[in-house]
Amino acid sequence: MERITFKNETGLTLVGHFYAAPSKAIIIMTHGFLSNKSSSGRFDRFALKLQQNGYNVLTYDCGGYGESDDTAIHFEKQVTDLRAAKQYSQQLGMEKFAFWGHSLGGRLSLTCYDTDIETMILTGPVTGAIAYQHVDNFSKEQVAQCESSGSMIFYVDDPWRTEIVLDKQMLLDFDQMDQAATLQKVDCPILIIHGTEGDLEQELTQITKQGLDLFPKGTKMIELDGADHGFMEQLNEIETLGLHWLHEHFQLN
């Protein structure tokens, strides 16, 4: 694994980990809300397993997260970050592309679809509009701060930073997603993995089910019994499901 840096279109320096393999196929992994390139260790272990199976992997911190440059986060900024990660992958000589996204990283993957993306794997993805109050425990003080100053601060347990600044726009971004408009642009088979436990994951599962007919042909949705939004007890199962899916839908050559 190599620590790498690249810039997005606004000039922010983004930090990532590149797992090199002897192929031209790369999987770009995008983390969720208030997370980082490790994704609580999920992406670290998945990336190593994928590398062992011949895939190059890029994990990265969106701007304002992890080791990347500071900025107040909102969705469109993170869209530019994923596009920059893909451009960086092309500069490395990659020719085949797949996306892997967790939670909000799933929505980012869908939004950044392009015709050269061969497949996606999305765990606990945000696939439609959801009230921001359901995503995290925003306090009344935080929301008031956001309304008055245009941003709020989250203190996080992160190896690379102590706080993440949330732009007021991010609150709107959660409940302004147009599911149909997003999905009609996507044209690759997608493996969607949801869980059955916890209020947030149950709501995200229902949002996906409501729009399941909008997903492209070949999409498969799996619900893991007992899994909450973190999936920390199901990592072995997700790893196995993901590798099987990639062997079918993302050939190395």
Side-chain angles (χ1 to χ4, degrees):
M1 180 271 288
E2 176 187 3
R3 181 182 182 275
I4 54 87
T5 62
F6 56 96
K7 291 186 180 295
N8 68 11
E9 65 179 21
T10 66
L12 285 182
T13 296
L14 307 180
V15 179
H17 288 160
F18 177 61
Y19 299 76
S23 72
K24 298 293 185 181
I26 189 166
I27 300 164
I28 302 173
M29 309 187 82
T30 302
H31 63 75
F33 183 57
L34 303 180
S35 188
N36 56 49
K37 59 183 171 292
S38 172
S39 190
S40 299
R42 303 177 195 88
F43 285 1
D44 298 334
R45 64 167 288 171
F46 293 159
L48 284 171
K49 180 62 71 172
L50 294 167
Q51 181 188 40
Q52 291 166 6
N53 280 265
Y55 297 104
N56 296 277
V57 182
L58 176 63
T59 67
Y60 67 99
D61 295 320
C62 289
Y65 294 88
E67 293 183 272
S68 290
D69 280 354
D70 292 340
T71 188
I73 64 169
H74 66 67
F75 187 73
E76 286 304 318
K77 287 183 180 180
Q78 293 173 242
V79 168
T80 67
D81 295 339
L82 177 47
R83 288 177 175 157
K86 182 166 176 279
Q87 184 177 35
Y88 175 77
S89 300
Q90 291 169 322
Q91 293 169 355
L92 291 175
M94 298 297 116
E95 298 174 356
K96 294 168 63 66
F97 303 91
F99 284 164
W100 186 310
H102 177 69
S103 193
L104 188 62
R107 177 180 171 185
L108 285 162
S109 298
L110 293 168
T111 301
C112 292
Y113 169 79
D114 205 347
T115 54
D116 58 357
I117 304 299
E118 296 187 24
T119 192
M120 299 184 196
I121 296 174
L122 310 178
T123 58
V126 177
T127 63
I130 182 171
Y132 73 83
Q133 297 95 332
H134 297 182
V135 176
D136 208 292
N137 294 319
F138 297 94
S139 69
K140 291 181 179 179
E141 291 77 15
Q142 285 175 312
V143 175
Q145 176 193 28
C146 201
E147 292 293 340
S148 63
S149 68
S151 64
M152 71 171 77
I153 296 174
F154 271 86
Y155 295 98
V156 292
D157 181 14
D158 186 300
W160 297 292
R161 65 171 57 234
T162 58
E163 61 185 47
I164 292 173
V165 180
L166 186 72
D167 191 291
K168 178 180 178 180
Q169 178 60 43
M170 191 73 225
L171 300 183
L172 302 175
D173 290 337
F174 280 114
D175 60 17
Q176 289 183 346
M177 179 180 179
D178 187 330
Q179 186 181 54
T182 300
L183 295 178
Q184 71 180 4
K185 300 174 184 177
V186 183
D187 189 22
C188 71
I190 303 171
L191 174 62
I192 305 167
I193 301 175
H194 275 299
T196 61
E197 299 300 318
D199 291 344
L200 175 57
E201 187 59 24
Q202 289 173 354
E203 182 171 1
L204 291 173
T205 301
Q206 287 306 118
I207 291 169
T208 296
K209 286 181 176 179
Q210 289 166 9
L212 202 54
D213 290 343
L214 301 171
F215 281 85
K217 182 179 179 181
T219 291
K220 181 177 182 180
M221 177 178 160
I222 295 174
E223 291 182 77
L224 298 183
D225 282 341
D228 61 17
H229 191 57
F231 295 94
M232 299 307 291
E233 302 299 320
Q234 291 79 25
L235 297 183
N236 287 337
E237 193 169 357
I238 290 174
E239 195 172 85
T240 300
L241 289 168
L243 278 172
H244 180 72
W245 182 266
L246 291 168
H247 289 155
E248 286 190 352
H249 298 280
F250 193 49
Q251 302 298 317
L252 290 172
N253 300 307

